[in-house]
Amino acid sequence: MPGGSRGRGFPKEERILERRDFLRAQTRGKKVTTAHLIGVAVPSRVGRRRLGLTVSSKVGNAVERNRVKRWLREIYRHERDHLPERIDLVLIARSGAAKAGYWPLRREFLEIASRLSSPASEKGER
């Protein structure tokens, strides 16, 4: 994992914190699946890019879940510019994410970002 966040914070305004926003993404969002992540994206209701994380006990024990969340937040801080500007993205870690490691999760995040930014995603294709 790269050292330091180079001044790229993760302010509260960029976090999805409310249950209703997670549910809205799940019911209306476009789903993109990779080996260890599921990305669910919906246009942001606040007009800015936001990230929400879901890491269930299927991923591992508390230490492993927290490690995956730290990795995903760090990846988002460094790679958020690859996402569309006004999007709410909920990342759901799948089992095996903790064993995959930082770099494979980063590649999968970039794949999700690419698929969400592609013209096909604007046509509503899943």
Side-chain angles (χ1 to χ4, degrees), residues 12-68:
K12 201 167 198 174
E13 301 83 46
E14 290 189 32
R15 300 177 198 167
I16 299 174
L17 299 173
E18 295 183 13
R19 176 174 164 76
R20 68 180 174 150
D21 292 329
F22 281 92
L23 293 175
R24 187 173 77 88
Q26 283 187 318
T27 58
R28 299 186 202 155
K30 175 188 181 341
K31 185 187 281 191
V32 178
T33 304
T34 63
H36 301 102
L37 296 174
I38 299 171
V40 184
V42 66
S44 177
R45 65 179 183 82
V46 296
R48 68 165 29 115
R49 185 183 302 130
R50 298 191 304 165
L51 175 71
L53 299 175
T54 301
V55 184
S56 76
S57 58
K58 292 178 184 176
V59 172
N61 64 28
V63 172
E64 293 169 321
R65 291 193 307 270
N66 288 330
R67 183 180 305 126
V68 169

Side-chain angles (χ1 to χ4, degrees), residues 6 9 11 23 31 38 57 61 68 76 79 83 87 99 106 122 124:
R6 289 180 255 155
L23 293 175
K31 185 187 281 191
I38 299 171
S57 58
N61 64 28
V68 169
Y76 173 79
E79 308 297 345
L83 291 169
I87 191 173
K99 291 178 180 39
R106 180 181 173 273
E122 294 170 11

Side-chain angles (χ1 to χ4, degrees), residues 76-121:
Y76 173 79
R77 279 192 285 268
H78 288 282
E79 308 297 345
R80 65 179 148 214
D81 293 337
H82 290 90
L83 291 169
E85 191 64 36
R86 291 177 173 87
I87 191 173
D88 281 353
L89 174 64
V90 175
L91 287 178
I92 303 165
R94 301 173 81 182
S95 62
K99 291 178 180 39
Y102 177 85
W103 295 104
L105 291 178
R106 180 181 173 273
R107 278 191 299 274
E108 292 181 25
F109 177 89
L110 291 172
E111 180 184 338
I112 289 170
S114 170
R115 288 167 59 184
L116 291 174
S117 299
S118 71
S121 70

